[in-house]
Amino acid sequence: MKNFIQTQFHSLFHLFDTTDAPKTIREISDGISMRGYNLWILICAAMLASIGLDTNSTAVIIGAMLISPLMSPILGVGLGLAINDQDILLRSLRNLTIATVASLATSTLYFWVSPLSEPTAEELARTQPNLLDVMVALFGGVAGIVAGSRSEKTNAIPGVAIATALMPPVCTAGFGLAHGDWRIFGGAFYLFAINAVFISLATFAVAKYLRFPLKEYVNDTVRKRVRNFIYGTLIVTLIPSIYFLYTVYKNNREKKIIETQVVNEITKRGNEVLKWEIHRELVPRQVKIYYSGEQLEEPQMEEFNKSLRLNNIPDYEIRLFRMNLTREEISEMSNEAVQNLLKTLNVNQRPDSTNRTQTNILKEIQALYPQVKQVGFGEVVFIGAKTDTISQVLLEVEKRPLAPADLNRLNNYLKIRLRKDTLLLRNL
């Protein structure tokens, strides 16, 4: 029975009899060099990835991942350590450095001249790596070296290139360099480091498991030095990722509690929550909720704050922005708020520099989105715990409204163009 189980297990998970170690070593060694056509392909991949990140285009980013030659020197580092081949190891480290610098330089130059200066969702998604990214890199690396070591052809390599995503984080780091945003640079480059380290580690482990032939004999001193180097690299790479994973968990928990204890309660009172967002970068941290319906009074606000305190998140300030006003409420508004409302009503009648600026903005928007026919500008007055006004831009679009991703990108652009911290952008 035991022999039968072992036979079945081997027939399912066998690797050794289809492994071609000499071919694998030769192919990885040949692909390490970052000169000639390889360097041209790398620069093109970096440019494609930068454009894809800048335009929030997943398809372009995937294309850049597939053509990028970054994987070979990373595999070479793990292979060189596994078979004790100093030539492959040193060439891999040297060419990985060249590839990283070339990718960073290309992306930094692109983002430095690009007119779209706001980080997109694709870029921001690569600035907070965590332990889950470590697992993606590790299992992606295992799949890559297992597929690459087969004597027969496999179709796993393109999938590994997409899953481990080496080029996008390097180019996101280039965005951080171009705009002097060290938070984005640090997070994105750390993600790249995670991918590089754990793909190399996976290559090292699989090459050892498959008993790739050693080029040189490894004595105990060298073996101990390599082991200590690997353990040290793992610890340095893992600790920040564990912290970031905890941060993601904590933020998601807080978001769920705020949604349950505040947003859903506002809805239960017969109101409609139009939009809500958490601003952790503000001091104190704020939850901004835009809603329509009945006015929420101070006792209800205190009830919301009490619920958050009971759930161990007391350091948020709830800010409510009501979108609809009655005649009685308008009559009770402060003089300043009334003046803001009057300016909104007369905004298109002012023949001053503001009108010229708005005309220029319409032309700029139409250069990006020709389907936009008209743009309306104004201020929306919110009545809550205190009166507040927020700029609003309305778009009249031909045929069908702009997609949410385009609206988000245009909203970020207009906030910078109009020098507004908060802006409401809508399709008519």
Side-chain angles (χ1 to χ4, degrees), residues 76-370:
V77 171
L79 179 66
L81 287 171
I83 66 175
N84 196 31
D85 189 326
Q86 291 191 18
D87 176 61
I88 288 180
L89 176 60
L90 293 177
R91 284 197 301 120
S92 298
L93 289 172
R94 182 169 61 252
N95 285 283
L96 179 58
T97 302
I98 293 171
T100 304
V101 171
S103 302
L104 271 175
T106 302
S107 58
T108 301
L109 179 61
Y110 170 82
F111 286 114
W112 186 63
V113 300
S114 171
L116 304 176
S117 58
E118 281 294 302
T120 62
E122 288 284 357
E123 288 163 339
L124 293 175
R126 291 170 171 85
T127 59
Q128 289 188 316
N130 56 59
L131 194 59
L132 300 179
D133 294 294
V134 170
M135 296 175 66
V136 169
L138 182 61
F139 286 104
V142 169
I145 186 62
V146 168
S149 64
R150 300 305 87 200
S151 54
E152 69 276 10
K153 293 286 185 181
T154 72
N155 60 357
I157 297 300
V160 172
I162 295 172
T164 52
L166 292 164
M167 187 58 76
V170 176
C171 293
T172 302
F175 174 92
L177 277 180
H179 295 282
D181 192 326
W182 300 109
R183 181 184 63 85
I184 288 180
F185 171 80
F189 197 80
Y190 175 52
L191 176 58
F192 171 71
I194 284 176
N195 289 338
V197 167
F198 281 90
I199 291 172
S200 295
L201 173 67
T203 305
F204 172 85
V206 172
K208 283 292 188 184
Y209 173 73
L210 294 177
R211 302 190 186 98
F212 278 29
L214 297 177
K215 182 176 182 181
E216 298 177 9
Y217 174 75
V218 183
N219 58 43
D220 289 339
T221 303
V222 173
R223 186 181 294 110
K224 184 177 180 180
R225 189 182 303 136
V226 170
R227 184 176 66 245
N228 290 341
F229 170 76
I230 292 173
Y231 287 160
T233 304
L234 288 179
I235 291 171
V236 170
T237 309
L238 273 174
I239 290 176
S241 70
I242 295 171
Y243 169 75
F244 285 129
L245 180 61
Y246 170 74
T247 301
V248 170
Y249 162 76
K250 182 172 175 287
N251 289 343
N252 286 339
R253 174 184 172 275
E254 289 177 351
K255 182 178 179 181
K256 185 67 176 177
I257 291 172
I258 291 170
E259 182 177 17
T260 303
Q261 301 296 325
V262 180
V263 178
N264 291 349
E265 288 300 316
I266 293 175
T267 304
K268 287 177 183 177
R269 286 173 166 81
N271 301 306
E272 181 184 0
V273 175
L274 305 173
K275 176 185 176 182
W276 68 283
E277 52 195 15
I278 298 174
H279 292 272
R280 295 185 176 89
E281 74 281 3
L282 300 177
V283 180
R285 296 189 288 180
Q286 293 181 4
V287 180
K288 294 183 178 181
I289 303 173
Y290 305 88
Y291 75 101
S292 63
E294 294 298 321
Q295 174 69 35
L296 295 173
E297 304 297 337
E298 189 62 33
Q300 294 167 321
M301 291 283 293
E302 181 55 36
E303 183 182 331
F304 295 150
N305 289 323
K306 182 179 179 181
S307 296
L308 296 183
R309 288 195 297 270
L310 290 174
N311 285 277
N312 297 318
I313 49 173
D315 50 349
Y316 279 97
E317 176 185 293
I318 305 294
R319 295 199 64 190
L320 301 178
F321 300 95
R322 187 176 170 216
M323 302 293 292
N324 58 312
L325 298 172
T326 65
R327 286 182 178 273
E328 292 76 14
E329 289 168 333
I330 292 175
S331 67
E332 295 173 0
M333 288 166 53
S334 68
N335 184 62
E336 179 183 358
V338 172
Q339 292 301 317
N340 284 329
L341 184 57
L342 289 174
K343 289 178 182 177
T344 299
L345 297 174
N346 296 312
V347 69
N348 291 321
Q349 301 176 13
R350 295 180 296 168
D352 57 8
S353 61
T354 301
N355 231 5
R356 288 194 297 272
T357 299
Q358 293 167 354
T359 301
N360 290 335
I361 289 175
L362 172 60
K363 293 178 180 178
E364 293 165 8
I365 293 175
Q366 288 176 331
L368 296 172
Y369 303 100

Side-chain angles (χ1 to χ4, degrees), residues 47-81:
M47 186 60 71
L48 279 174
S50 299
I51 294 171
L53 291 166
D54 206 19
T55 58
N56 227 34
S57 173
T58 304
V60 176
I61 294 171
I62 290 174
M65 296 178 196
L66 289 174
I67 68 173
S68 168
L70 262 173
M71 182 73 80
S72 290
I74 294 174
L75 293 174
V77 171
L79 179 66
L81 287 171

